[in-house]
Amino acid sequence: MGSNSSRIGDLPKNEYLKKLSGTESVSENDPFWNQLLSFSFPAPTSSTELKLLEEATVSVCRSLVVNNPRTGNLGALIKVFLSRTKELKLSAECQNHIFIWQTHNALFIICCLLKVFICEMSEEELQLHFTYEEKSPGSYSSDAEDLLEELLCCLMQLITDIPLLDITYEISVEAVSTMVVFLSCQLFHKEVLRQSISHKYLMRGRCLPYTSKLVKTLLYNFIRQEKPPPPGAHVLPQQSDGGGLLYGLASGVATGLWTVFTLGGVGSKAAATPELSSPLANQSLLLLLVLANLTDAADTPNPYRQAIMSFKNTQDSSPFPSSIPHAFQINFNSLYTALCEQQTSDQATLLLYTLLHQNSNVRTYMLARTDMENLVLPILEILYHVEERNSHHVYMALIILLILTEDDGFNRSIHEVILKNITWYSERVLTEISLGSLLILVVIRTIQYNMTRTRDKYLHTNCLAALANMSAQFRSLHQYAAQRIISLFSLLSKKHNKVLEQATQSLRGSLSSNDVPLPDYAQDLNVIEEVIRMMLEIINSCLTNSLHHNPNLVYALLYKRDLFEQFRTHPSFQDIMQNIDLVITFFSSRLLQAGAELSVERVLEIIKQGAVALPKDRLKLSRLLRHTRGAHIFENVYLNLQPCWLSVARQKFPELKFKYVEEEQPEEFFIPYVWSLVYNSAVGLYWNPQDIQLFTMDSD
């Protein structure tokens, strides 16, 4: 076992790999291919294992890069694979283990080679390696340029047409992985690619007709979460000592090449990360996200995004409009269940965002569900554990809430769902609380975490917008939720006073010295005041639209009435304070009339009675609430921080309402994000981090 590392170092000297990558052309009919493809080893899974494999074979791959233009051995290998795939479906039906095993091995080698080729050369050079023809060594013919396209079409057919059985599971995963590798040229460019071989082959020509079928299959792979076959059901059983079992005429000659993979080392699970329950589902989801986020070609919109935007429920019998290309149907109930169960992963949350934002059929279906808590609770749990999640995962979860809160039906229904014993909420025991109140608690907690830790303006923008969208439909707020709303306002007030005090002291100090530059406290003050005003608008919206439904909020407002004194005459808040001041004055008067030493229950009873007695026409919507603002409503909430690629826009509604919109060129945000997920989460794929140009290693 201890000698495995040195034996991996001997791989470049192996005669079979040397022949593949050497100067001699190998015909696609040569028995050599049967010998090369007759190996068995546990597929590498962890980044450590994959790195060892990469380092062991990179010199072989680079030798092939140099020699392949003259030998065409890469093309011959691909032709061997293509010829085998024509019989793959029949082989699966006949349980031909050996044939499927060798075909998988051919694809595995192609994937490894293609990954190095894409990293090492330009797309133009890559295409030349697929254009070799024997009739004139070293020359390139346009007639041969379709070999890469043929490979891609074959992969699509393999993914969509080969039945998923125990013996085909690994080759299905490998086919999806190879497509991901084909698209990975984006990793080695800092800028977003808008023209590439992926556009050339995937958006037109022979691959285009497979669009809807591929998207549908990838979605179903995600939905079904098929687990890999148990060890005993693998194509090739493993010997008890961990060695590979080789079949056929090649067994005697291939053992020397592949035992390094079967005796530990690369195949060892000791240092592996926890295995995914379904590698095929994970890999399919990553490929789907990559395809959905390809930029439109110059003359062709992204067909994979079109398919994702337009698919319908299998129960929807209405015909597709002729104007909608690449349409298909899928079982929405199964999709909804899978999305609810898989939100612990970034990529599942990103898929949920994509579907809610881009597919109106999915959004309408989800908003009509009577069990929305199954979807919302996992999203809230992501936000609750904000310190354990990367920023992009938190962003996506928050945007999903914002999109959902655009719907008034959702905002009403979440207050009707009563939850019991939320075990992951640790600040306070919540034996019974509405989904709406829990949502408010988690969003406020996210705001407070952001104020004290990350100070990210984007988080504030969307948190406040979600609360604003909900505010008119607040119903029966839990007493703790009501307290937290006022506590957040208290925290903002203290920050406002602190900044104001610092500005005053700084101004006094500057009178004695003209050389010291003044901090821009006026700008900081504007930032805090904008957020405070937003909180006042949220409180005002609730009081105006549903005061009689929220005695606990009125109670909390009265308990902390002194907080609002300083804003009553403040020029920035006078208009919005009118309603709040009216409520405080009205209910304070009724409590005063009731006498001193009132119990909490008695105070709430007086508030409920007063809510009925207070004339509704005395509370009026502020004119400012009707004002339409642009996409950058919170552009200055925090300054000199990470760029905000996504934003919200104020809609022209009488109520306080915001709508999520993507910024221009959202691909500048999403494409690096998607590829960071691929880099960190893909099964069986490894890229040298030093080669990555698209994102830095701390941007995942």
Side-chain angles (χ1 to χ4, degrees):
M1 297 289 287
S3 64
N4 285 338
S5 297
S6 61
R7 297 173 77 179
I8 290 178
D10 292 337
L11 274 178
K13 302 175 184 178
N14 184 275
E15 59 178 298
Y16 301 102
L17 291 182
K18 286 173 67 176
K19 186 171 182 178
L20 173 67
S21 60
T23 58
E24 176 188 352
S25 295
V26 183
S27 167
E28 59 192 274
N29 299 316
D30 196 299
F32 165 80
W33 299 111
N34 281 333
Q35 297 171 340
L36 179 69
L37 301 180
S38 295
F39 65 87
S40 171
F41 64 95
T45 55
S46 73
S47 59
T48 302
E49 296 169 353
L50 291 162
K51 183 179 180 182
L52 287 172
L53 176 61
E54 178 98 356
E55 293 172 348
T57 57
V58 68
S59 62
V60 174
C61 295
R62 287 174 177 169
S63 177
L64 186 63
V65 168
V66 173
N67 294 320
N68 185 68
R70 292 183 297 276
T71 66
N73 285 345
L74 175 61
L77 173 60
I78 291 174
K79 289 177 182 178
V80 169
F81 169 73
L82 293 175
S83 67
R84 285 174 171 270
T85 57
K86 295 174 183 177
E87 304 175 42
L88 198 58
K89 192 170 184 179
L90 180 61
S91 297
E93 294 172 355
C94 298
Q95 296 284 305
N96 190 336
H97 288 239
I98 296 177
F99 188 89
I100 295 173
W101 157 55
Q102 290 188 333
T103 307
H104 167 269
N105 289 347
L107 184 54
F108 176 81
I109 296 174
I110 290 170
C111 186
C112 292
L113 294 174
L114 186 62
K115 186 159 66 69
V116 175
F117 273 52
I118 288 174
C119 179
E120 294 284 326
M121 63 186 67
S122 68
E123 292 188 335
E124 293 76 13
E125 293 173 312
L126 177 66
Q127 287 183 289
L128 290 179
H129 281 272
F130 288 83
T131 60
Y132 171 84
E133 285 193 342
E134 290 185 11
K135 63 182 181 182
S136 179
S139 66
Y140 301 95
S141 167
S142 60
D143 294 337
E145 289 184 356
D146 287 337
L147 185 58
L148 185 54
E149 184 177 32
E150 190 172 350
L151 174 61
L152 283 170
C153 287
C154 178
L155 292 173
M156 288 184 168
Q157 288 177 312
L158 200 159
I159 293 169
T160 58
D161 294 346
I162 301 301
L164 188 59
L165 308 170
D166 282 355
I167 61 173
T168 61
Y169 189 94
E170 289 185 4
I171 196 171
S172 295
V173 174
E174 201 64 49
V176 176
S177 298
T178 305
M179 283 202 67
V180 172
V181 167
F182 170 72
L183 293 160
S184 66
C185 53
Q186 176 64 80
L187 281 171
F188 313 110
H189 294 79
K190 288 185 178 180
E191 72 284 354
V192 169
L193 293 180
R194 302 182 185 278
Q195 290 184 339
S196 66
I197 54 174
S198 59
H199 290 87
K200 177 180 178 180
Y201 291 117
L202 292 176
M203 295 192 182
R204 57 177 68 88
R206 294 171 56 193
C207 292
L208 190 59
Y210 293 98
T211 296
S212 59
K213 197 172 183 180
L214 178 63
V215 171
K216 182 176 181 178
T217 301
L218 295 175
L219 274 173
Y220 268 126
N221 285 347
F222 166 72
I223 289 170
R224 289 167 178 154
Q225 295 288 317
E226 290 283 354
K227 296 181 179 180
H234 281 167
V235 173
L236 293 176
Q238 299 300 307
Q239 295 175 349
S240 59
D241 63 355
L245 184 60
L246 297 155
Y247 291 99
L249 297 174
S251 62
V253 295
T255 302
L257 169 58
W258 297 110
T259 50
V260 292
F261 296 112
T262 62
L263 298 177
V266 171
S268 172
K269 296 288 184 180
T273 54
E275 291 187 10
L276 293 165
S277 60
S278 177
L280 179 61
N282 179 75
Q283 215 81 335
S284 296
L285 177 52
L286 291 172
L287 175 57
L288 181 64
L289 292 172
V290 169
L291 290 171
N293 286 281
L294 288 174
T295 56
D296 295 334
D299 56 347
T300 308
N302 181 344
Y304 305 94
R305 186 182 302 121
Q306 288 181 318
I308 287 174
M309 291 173 63
S310 59
F311 71 82
K312 299 195 304 184
N313 194 354
T314 50
Q315 297 182 353
D316 187 346
S317 59
S318 61
F320 283 100
S322 57
S323 59
I324 296 181
H326 315 297
F328 64 92
Q329 290 179 292
I330 203 167
N331 187 306
F332 277 16
N333 182 61
S334 300
L335 177 61
Y336 180 81
T337 301
L339 287 168
C340 292
E341 293 174 349
Q342 299 299 320
Q343 288 306 304
T344 52
S345 76
D346 287 63
Q347 47 267 38
T349 303
L350 181 54
L351 176 63
L352 175 58
Y353 158 79
T354 301
L355 296 177
L356 279 173
H357 179 56
Q358 298 186 4
N359 191 311
S360 59
N361 300 319
V362 172
R363 183 168 60 252
T364 300
Y365 173 85
M366 289 188 176
L367 288 170
R369 295 281 303 204
T370 57
D371 59 347
M372 278 297 293
E373 67 273 15
N374 291 336
L375 186 68
V376 175
L377 282 173
I379 298 301
L380 294 182
E381 196 167 355
I382 293 170
L383 293 176
Y384 185 79
H385 297 294
V386 57
E387 64 279 356
E388 301 172 11
R389 304 290 183 179
N390 69 69
S391 60
H392 290 122
H393 198 185
V394 173
Y395 290 166
M396 291 300 105
L398 196 50
I399 295 170
I400 287 167
L401 288 185
L402 179 56
I403 293 173
L404 293 174
T405 61
E406 292 172 18
D407 183 77
D408 285 343
F410 170 84
N411 294 331
R412 287 190 294 270
S413 65
I414 57 175
H415 293 288
E416 298 169 0
V417 178
I418 304 302
L419 307 169
K420 296 182 183 297
N421 300 319
I422 307 301
T423 56
W424 48 261
Y425 193 95
S426 59
E427 273 89 342
R428 177 166 172 161
V429 176
L430 299 176
T431 55
E432 186 172 289
I433 189 172
S434 71
L435 179 61
S437 289
L438 181 63
L439 195 158
I440 293 168
L441 284 175
V442 173
V443 171
I444 288 177
R445 184 180 184 275
T446 305
I447 294 174
Q448 292 182 321
Y449 176 85
N450 187 45
M451 289 176 63
T452 57
R453 303 284 186 86
T454 58
R455 288 177 55 86
D456 186 330
K457 70 173 183 178
Y458 174 61
L459 246 64
H460 268 24
T461 300
N462 290 283
C463 285
L464 291 170
L467 289 176
N469 284 349
M470 296 169 59
S471 59
Q473 279 84 33
F474 283 171
R475 294 291 188 276
S476 304
L477 289 183
H478 191 280
Q479 60 179 5
Y480 186 53
Q483 291 171 14
R484 299 307 293 163
I485 292 173
I486 304 303
S487 294
L488 175 58
F489 184 79
S490 174
L491 180 61
L492 291 168
S493 300
K494 291 176 182 177
K495 282 188 172 291
H496 177 270
N497 294 339
K498 183 177 180 180
V499 172
L500 190 61
E501 182 181 352
Q502 289 173 337
T504 303
Q505 293 176 351
S506 180
L507 182 61
R508 290 172 179 169
S510 67
L511 297 177
S512 59
S513 175
N514 295 325
D515 298 329
V516 180
L518 279 175
D520 195 351
Y521 286 111
Q523 196 173 52
D524 290 345
L525 206 58
N526 287 336
V527 168
I528 296 296
E529 289 183 355
E530 181 69 23
V531 178
I532 287 176
R533 179 172 182 84
M534 190 64 199
M535 281 302 301
L536 288 172
E537 289 189 359
I538 290 168
I539 295 171
N540 180 71
S541 175
C542 176
L543 297 178
T544 303
N545 292 281
S546 55
L547 181 146
H548 59 292
H549 289 297
N550 293 289
N552 283 326
L553 181 62
V554 176
Y555 183 99
L557 194 67
L558 294 172
Y559 189 74
K560 294 287 187 178
R561 64 173 71 97
D562 293 345
L563 286 174
F564 299 88
E565 285 291 333
Q566 61 179 309
F567 301 107
R568 181 180 297 171
T569 57
H570 195 291
S572 297
F573 309 113
Q574 274 184 311
D575 57 337
I576 200 70
M577 276 298 300
Q578 291 178 7
N579 283 345
I580 297 174
D581 191 37
L582 186 153
V583 169
I584 290 174
T585 302
F586 177 82
F587 284 98
S588 295
S589 175
R590 295 182 72 90
L591 290 176
L592 188 62
Q593 294 173 11
E597 304 296 331
L598 300 175
S599 66
V600 173
E601 291 75 15
R602 178 57 181 153
V603 171
L604 286 172
E605 182 182 347
I606 294 171
I607 290 173
K608 292 175 183 178
Q609 294 171 350
V612 176
L614 179 65
K616 293 183 179 180
D617 58 356
R618 293 186 63 184
L619 293 174
K620 297 181 180 180
L621 287 174
S622 166
R623 286 176 298 173
L624 199 62
L625 294 182
R626 301 174 184 267
H627 182 62
T628 302
R629 304 186 187 183
H632 298 282
I633 180 172
F634 289 103
E635 187 171 3
N636 294 319
V637 172
Y638 283 114
L639 306 172
N640 301 320
L641 298 172
Q642 125 176 20
C644 174
W645 289 286
L646 310 170
S647 64
V648 294
R650 187 69 165 273
Q651 281 193 331
K652 195 170 184 178
F653 285 113
E655 295 177 344
L656 188 60
K657 209 68 175 173
F658 293 86
K659 180 178 176 61
Y660 167 76
V661 294
E662 287 182 347
E663 291 281 11
E664 294 182 6
Q665 299 184 328
E667 64 274 9
E668 298 290 342
F669 170 83
F670 284 105
I671 289 178
Y673 178 34
V674 168
W675 278 105
S676 72
L677 295 180
V678 173
Y679 175 82
N680 287 293
S681 307
V683 179
L685 292 176
Y686 169 82
W687 289 273
N688 188 332
Q690 295 179 350
D691 295 330
I692 305 299
Q693 298 293 319
L694 182 62
F695 53 83
T696 55
M697 291 302 107
D698 60 352
S699 68
D700 44 68

